[in-house]
Amino acid sequence: MTVIDISPSVMQFLLAFIVVAPLLGAVAALLPAPPGLKGKGPDQAVLRHGVTVTGAVLIAAIVLAVGFDHDHPATMQATTDISWIPALDVRIHLGIDGISLPLLLLTALLTFLCALHSYFKPPAGPSPKAFTALVLVLESGTLATFAVLDLLLFFLAFEMVLIPMYFLIARWGGDQRRAAAWKFILYTLLGSVVMLLGLLLIGLRSGTFDMVALATDNGRGLTTSVQLIAVLAIGVGLAVKTPMWPLHSWLPDAHTAAPTVGSVLLAGVLLKMGTYGFVRILLPIAPDGMRTFAPYLAAFAVVGIVYGSLACLALARRGAKGDLKRLIAYSSVGHMGFVLLGIATMTPTGVNGALFANIAHGLITGLLFFLVGAVKDRYGTADLDTLAGATGAALYGRAPRLGALLAFAAVASLGLPGLAGFWGEMLTLFGAYSPAEGLSRPAFRTFMAIGAFGTLLTAAYMLIVVRRVCMGEHTPHSQLSPAAPADAPEPSGTDPSGAGPSATTAPRPATPQPAATTPQLADIQTYEAAAWTPLAALTVLAGLWPAVLLGLTDPAVQKLLAGGKS
């Protein structure tokens, strides 16, 4: 069933346009703006250009989804297959199925929202021209990663995003941005070198780099030892990008230093490239090697779940001087642990849960980073102790809509039933309860129990964050009497020595303001509502109607795990 019947040639064009248009837009962004399009200035013109290009890509992605044959989501659609390097049988092979289409849409949506946000709140830093061009190159590389069906093209697209993200962090980031950018690029490049060796091993031993042909062969053309080496090599590169514990240490620094737009794209899109590689390449192409390493992958995943949650709890406690952006970065380590656990089960239930959790994490964490960026802009800091102690009422009293949306995103992140975060975690735990044949059930049920404990830890630190940032620190009765009116005759300068009537009650601290007189912050602006509302709405829709997404992924996953057979 297709919503609108679109010819195959138009579908091919749409997919090629989605991949290539941002790259062409990046080149155009560096050229002088035509006189009639400059608006108030060249900076505004180039930022508007970014909105236009990403908007066109998003529209093309939506039309592609509308024309997608939803009755056959396991079939590669909108395919283009052109010989590129005949000597190595490398082909420009593009196509989408039920696994890659949701990720394509997520990437196009988040990049457009980031461009829209940047137009109304330009990034603080060097030329907006370079910023816009880098965001567009980043979008092109990410979309290509989810659309290509050739191993070497996958590697090129996978690497294409590294340089733009490095410069976004190093040039437009905050404190310690250069060190964070270097850490990001070194970790990911070293992982990619190892991954390339594994991809070359598969291609040269099997005689083809075509991912569809390799998935259909289902590892029959590769010996077990080759599969083991390939899974180890490719898995390390993918695990760094995911990131999997203990290869995660670049992520908190990168998120803390990155600008808001960089954090949204890094968490919402780039982390998905690693887990997508596990599903698209390792599960179907090297199943025997994956079966051997699956218990170890699951073990690392659940350690990451618990470790990320404990790190967040440590950052959230009073007096820890924890950075809110850093806390959400550590929460991503835990959430991506659930994705890896689902993949490690090698079952349709677990892999579908992993793919669902991927999309949910992109929506929810993208929204969280937008919100934390807004809070940081208003307060001038993301330090939790400062945010919690700034006022007795905190966000609920100073910017109630912003506080309510932050609380919504937090409870969505902890997996509240009825919101997107719930289904992915639940399905991965179900998959771990009954893993694929040949995997140890006692081991995976132990992993399931540890993962379930991790959900409790997630709820704990998210609720602490909501209480501290949205409600503010608890003010002891000895410091602030609830009966005292706002204009009580006890002004702070009445008796500096403290030897007045107030000295009989308690030593007076730095006179906290009652909520009634708390100075207001700017609440959600129109452009912020435009950038955040789609993410909040999709979080609710995915939570209430998970069958829409699972109906796309499940047939494709079933075919993938069955060795290319529907």
Side-chain angles (χ1 to χ4, degrees), residues 260-310:
T260 296
V261 166
S263 292
V264 171
L265 293 176
L266 182 58
V269 176
L270 264 67
L271 303 190
K272 313 300 174 282
M273 295 164 62
T275 52
Y276 174 78
F278 276 103
V279 174
R280 179 65 76 195
I281 297 174
L282 293 185
L283 279 178
I285 295 176
D288 294 337
M290 270 298 292
R291 195 169 286 108
T292 300
F293 282 108
Y296 303 102
L297 178 63
F300 283 124
V302 295
V303 170
I305 292 170
V306 175
Y307 171 83
S309 298
L310 291 176

Side-chain angles (χ1 to χ4, degrees), residues 322-325 372 375-376 378-395 398 406 468-473 521:
D323 187 282
L324 192 50
K325 289 184 72 176
V372 173
V375 170
K376 187 174 182 179
R378 286 158 169 79
Y379 281 95
T381 181
D383 177 72
L384 264 170
D385 287 335
T386 304
L387 295 176
T391 170
L395 282 183
R398 304 188 73 183
L406 179 61
R468 297 193 69 203
V469 177
C470 295
M471 301 178 186
E473 296 286 18
L521 290 173

